[in-house]
Structures are given as C-alpha cells and as structure tokens.
C-alpha cells in the first residue's frame, strides 16, 4: 500500500518564488546562456520516453518505503522541479557551470528531499529503486549523482546521463506505469548500463547566470 504525508511549507514558498520569476528563456545570461549552473531549478526530461522526473509526498508501499520518484508526461506539474546542488562538502558554488563528470545532488523543490538510490528492487521492473530521501536538502552519501555528458560543461540543449556515485547505476525509465494512486506515472529506477533509457535533457526552469566563462574540454558521455 502507498502512503502519503504532508508537504513542507518552505518548499511551497520556494516554488512560489520560482513561478514568479519563471519567464521564457529561463532567466539565463547571454554569455554562457546554454549552460546548466549550480543553484539552478529545472525540470528534467527523459528523451526516450518523454516524461519529466517527478516526486511527491507519496511513499513506496514496498522496498525502502521512502518517498517515491516517478516520471510524468505533463510539462506543467509543479512537483517536477529539482534544484542542482553540490555535495555536503560544497564544490558547486551558485552560478558555477556544472562540469561533465561532476557529482551533484538533485533536491526536490517542494519536499526538500534528494534524489537517491540504494540496493532495493524497484516495484515494477525489479531494477534498482530510486527514491527521494533526507530532510531540508540533507540526506547521505547515496544522494550523489555524477553528470555524464560530452564536452566540459552540462549544456542545456544536450542529452546527459546521471550515474549514481555509490552504486554506479544510471537514472533510467523503461516504460512501466503505476496504477492507483499515481495511475499513469512511469517508474524511475537505476540500470547498470548506459543506454537509450537513461538520457535526460534540461527543460523548464530558472537557470542562474554563469559566474565563470566556459572553456573547451573533453568527452564524458
């Protein structure tokens, strides 16, 4: 059985501010405007299955029992915003372009929990469960994901992958859909290999002005 809880008021305030600022073009600067930067708040689209990474205050009824993470087709769902942050020791100053190969945390705006995975089976496909974990943006080492992309920095128009630091799986969607109470939402899970099911693209959001000029680099994807 699934269980629901109460959302955080801080997340609602932050989301209200985000929506007030949200304009076409995402608020990025002209210089380096194509980059995803630390502190940005955005939605992530799985490019193969065309669903956005999503969470909500509904817990898994099996596995870890933590807050569920899914994929949704709607582009206007407020529960699909994530903030790009560094690890607990920093390393991701606000406005700094995210480097290919950099480890980041993805914090769900409305609930303050971090994208997380661990050695539990996912409910539908029996891959590795992906959940949202922690309180007010603070969880543990299993909240870290390495951005795998081509070049030196994560570009907004480019497809990227997220590889989990602790278990090496890739954030993925393979099409399985839930029934009630989240009917039609897609399972999000971890898979051991890079493939077409685990490429993602930055979509709607607020992109903090880059604080440094980008330079050419190497391939990571």
């Amino acid at each position: 059985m699934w269980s629901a809880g109460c959302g955080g008021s801080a997340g609602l305030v932050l989301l209200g501010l985000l929506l007030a600022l949200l304009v076409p073009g995402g608020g990025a600067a002209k210089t380096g405007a194509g980059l995803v930067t630390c502190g940005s708040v955005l939605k992530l689209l799985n490019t193969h299955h065309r669903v956005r990474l999503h969470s909500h205050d509904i817990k898994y009824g099996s596995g870890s029992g933590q807050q569920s993470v899914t994929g949704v087709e709607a582009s206007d769902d407020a529960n699909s915003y994530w903030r790009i942050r560094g690890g607990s020791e920093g390393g991701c100053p606000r406005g700094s372009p995210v480097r290919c190969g950099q480890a980041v945390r993805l914090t769900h705006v409305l609930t303050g929990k971090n994208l997380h995975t661990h050695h539990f089976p996912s409910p539908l496909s029996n891959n590795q469960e992906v959940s949202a974990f922690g309180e007010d943006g603070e969880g543990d080492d299993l909240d870290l994901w390495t951005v795998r992309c081509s070049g030196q920095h994560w570009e907004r128009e480019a497809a990227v992958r997220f590889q989990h630091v602790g278990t090496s799986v890739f954030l993925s969607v393979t099409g399985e859909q839930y029934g009630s109470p989240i009917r039609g939402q897609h399972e999000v899970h971890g898979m051991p290999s890079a493939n077409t099911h685990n490429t993602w693209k930055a979509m709607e959001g607020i992109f903090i002005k880059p604080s440094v000029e980008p330079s050419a680099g190497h391939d990571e994807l």
Side-chain angles (χ1 to χ4, degrees):
M1 179 177 292
W2 300 77
S3 60
C6 298
S9 59
L12 290 171
V13 171
L14 179 58
L15 182 64
L17 178 61
L18 168 69
L19 295 177
L21 292 171
L22 191 58
V23 294
K30 292 181 180 179
T31 301
L35 300 179
V36 175
T37 53
C38 297
S40 294
V41 175
L42 76 167
K43 295 181 180 181
L44 291 166
L45 177 75
N46 183 282
T47 61
H48 185 74
H49 293 278
R50 311 302 295 177
V51 293
R52 284 162 173 78
L53 187 68
H54 180 92
S55 192
H56 37 224
D57 204 0
I58 298 176
K59 295 177 173 59
Y60 287 119
S62 61
S64 69
Q66 294 175 3
Q67 182 170 300
S68 57
V69 172
T70 63
V72 296
E73 296 177 359
S75 63
D76 58 352
D77 195 314
N79 271 307
S80 300
Y81 282 111
W82 301 82
R83 180 181 293 277
I84 308 297
R85 304 169 62 226
S88 58
E89 298 178 356
C92 195
R94 179 181 171 88
S96 175
V98 177
R99 303 183 309 276
C100 295
Q102 181 174 350
V104 299
R105 288 181 292 181
L106 297 171
T107 302
H108 188 243
V109 171
L110 273 182
T111 63
K113 297 183 184 296
N114 298 323
L115 189 70
H116 181 95
T117 190
H118 38 215
H119 292 297
F120 285 94
S122 60
L124 302 181
S125 67
N126 206 39
N127 284 296
Q128 186 164 299
E129 180 192 276
V130 170
S131 64
F133 174 76
E135 295 294 336
D136 297 324
E138 298 305 321
D140 61 24
D141 290 343
L142 293 178
D143 299 342
L144 289 171
W145 299 80
T146 300
V147 180
R148 299 295 183 192
C149 50
S150 298
Q152 186 172 9
H153 295 102
W154 177 2
E155 298 181 3
R156 288 167 56 187
E157 294 300 317
V160 304
R161 292 187 173 93
F162 298 98
Q163 186 174 21
H164 190 241
V165 172
T167 65
S168 299
V169 298
F170 292 87
L171 184 68
S172 307
V173 177
T174 51
E176 297 85 1
Q177 292 180 269
Y178 290 108
S180 179
I182 52 173
R183 185 174 304 279
Q185 295 188 22
H186 292 241
E187 181 184 85
V188 172
H189 50 246
M191 299 184 73
S193 60
N195 55 54
T196 58
H197 299 294
N198 43 55
T199 56
W200 301 83
K201 181 180 175 184
M203 300 297 287
E204 306 85 1
I206 294 295
F207 297 87
I208 305 301
K209 178 181 177 181
S211 58
V212 297
E213 188 70 21
S215 58
H218 57 282
D219 291 343
E220 284 281 351
L221 188 62

